Amino acid sequence: MENQYDITVIGGGPGGYVAAIKGAKMGGKVAIIEKDKLGGTCLNRGCIPTKVLVNSAHVFNTIKRAGEFGIEVKDPAVNVPALYNRKDAVVSRLRQGVEYLIKANKIRLFRGEGKITGENSVEILTDSGEQTEVRTRNIIIATGSEPAKIPVPGIELEGVITSDEALNLKSLPDSVVIIGGGVIGLEFASIFNSFGVKTAVVEMLPRILPQEDEEISRELYGIIKRDRVDIYVNSRVEKIEKGEKGLGVVFEEKGSVRRIEGERVLIAVGRKPVVCEMNGIDITLKGKFIDVDDRMRTNYKNIYAVGDAAGGPLLAHVAFAEGIVAAENCMGRDSKIDYKVVPRCIFTHPEVGAVGLTEEEARRRFRDIKIGKFPFSANGKALAMGENEGFVKIIADSEWNEVLGVHILGPNATELVAEGALAIKLESTAEEIAETIHAHPTLAEGIMECAHDILGAPLHKI
């Protein structure tokens, strides 16, 4: 029958559309339901649009420093409409690519909202107001997440925005206060600050990027502060109120009440899952997330959940991997997810790339560890680029010198970390990295030099 499928995917974000494509490539008859735009948060309101703005900010920073490179440029300026038009164009092109892949793989796309009405049935309310039901052997829930907000007075005031609104501004504010010193908050801080917006960050915890290696966090904090972004840590926001120049953020810092103002206040305190409506089934939750096993299966043997709704690391590339695992299990394979190697990329200036254990985690798990470091200030390519801040840090066990974690703060760190991810996946040792010839002059040499440092014989470091 027309409305009978092997797999029905609810949600067309990274986890959902990849699961649909994988299932179709394995010979399944697949349907996907999306109530908004294919590509989900990552493509439309997250990873991609922010990286377009990050790249524009990088170009602008380079132009402002052009004199250092022997290039004369007069009065560079930001064209805000052109900036956001380029962002929209890139997003549109990639979204069209996803739509083409869905069509090319003969996946039935329903535009509307899906509701699970039984173990093998999904009801769809389409955009046109029609209601239809599909029968399906398997269901994959990939409903994603949305920006979280904090329960403080004033959150509803005009001018308080989330990352969604920040990506669709008509003009740049003169000043912004960002609540949250994690990945989202710091990326937007770098963007706004690069474009000349007076920027402040308020973080509740003792340091920015609290999930990352403490040494990386501390070094980045110093660099961002030097670039004239005000950062307040150990600071709990008490309220947001109207101010003389826009909005005032009142917070407690070390027992004292402080107040700073901004034309806009950006809430960047993380994300919360979105779970589709269910009727006739009782899927187990773990907190606010759907509880799944290592096969991405819920407490129903034919219902799976992937991506942000399932509560693993809230990263698009994790959702990709989870979607593949779920689809393979739907089609009869026995696949398991492995979270051992999950690269983490933060597009600040300079960038952060990390994979594996932090120093703190490694010391808790292992009796002894070895640490190697190499600064970009001693790297020829970094000096040529004029991007010589930061360092590479490798953590290894003391018995075999096996790589446990790689942490990079510096130029192109989000690209360089792929070598660290491969090293951990292959259980490489510091010797194997050190003995691998790296091209010169490249930033990647810093990883090789760092491995030599673990072995006690650094070449270009005293």
Side-chain angles (χ1 to χ4, degrees), residues 217-235:
S217 168
R218 189 168 60 245
E219 183 78 7
L220 181 62
Y221 173 88
I223 293 171
I224 293 176
K225 288 274 287 185
R226 188 210 59 206
D227 287 343
R228 299 182 180 179
V229 174
D230 295 325
I231 303 179
Y232 304 89
V233 294
N234 273 321
S235 300

Side-chain angles (χ1 to χ4, degrees), residues 180-198:
V183 175
I184 299 171
L186 292 185
E187 287 188 355
F188 273 103
S190 286
I191 292 168
F192 281 123
N193 185 57
S194 296
F195 291 144
V197 177
K198 181 175 173 55

Side-chain angles (χ1 to χ4, degrees), residues 137-176:
R137 288 197 305 111
N138 299 282
I139 298 170
I140 299 178
I141 302 169
T143 42
S145 64
E146 61 187 7
K149 293 188 177 181
I150 51 176
V152 298
I155 196 76
E156 75 291 341
L157 289 173
E158 184 178 356
V160 179
I161 61 175
T162 67
S163 56
D164 289 357
E165 289 84 32
L167 289 168
N168 290 289
L169 295 173
K170 301 302 181 185
S171 61
L172 292 174
D174 291 328
S175 56
V176 63

Side-chain angles (χ1 to χ4, degrees), residues 208 213-225 350 388-391 409:
I208 59 173
D213 187 89
E214 185 173 355
E215 192 172 12
I216 295 287
S217 168
R218 189 168 60 245
E219 183 78 7
L220 181 62
Y221 173 88
I223 293 171
I224 293 176
K225 288 274 287 185
N388 59 331
E389 293 180 309
F391 58 94
L409 172 66

Side-chain angles (χ1 to χ4, degrees), residues 25-26 41 51 56 63 104 113 121 129 138 159 209-210 293 295 304 344 354 356 362-364 374 384 413 449 454:
K25 286 187 178 295
M26 295 180 71
T41 293
K51 299 318 160 287
S56 294
I63 292 172
E113 191 159 357
S121 60
N138 299 282
L209 298 182
D293 61 17
R295 292 170 174 80
Y304 301 79
R344 306 181 298 279
R363 291 193 185 281
R364 284 196 299 268
F374 190 79
E449 294 276 5
I454 285 180

Side-chain angles (χ1 to χ4, degrees), residues 118-139:
E119 290 185 49
N120 300 101
S121 60
V122 178
E123 186 179 277
I124 305 165
L125 179 62
T126 66
D127 289 348
S128 59
E130 297 177 359
Q131 193 166 299
T132 187
E133 186 179 75
V134 299
R135 301 292 296 174
T136 184
R137 288 197 305 111
N138 299 282
I139 298 170

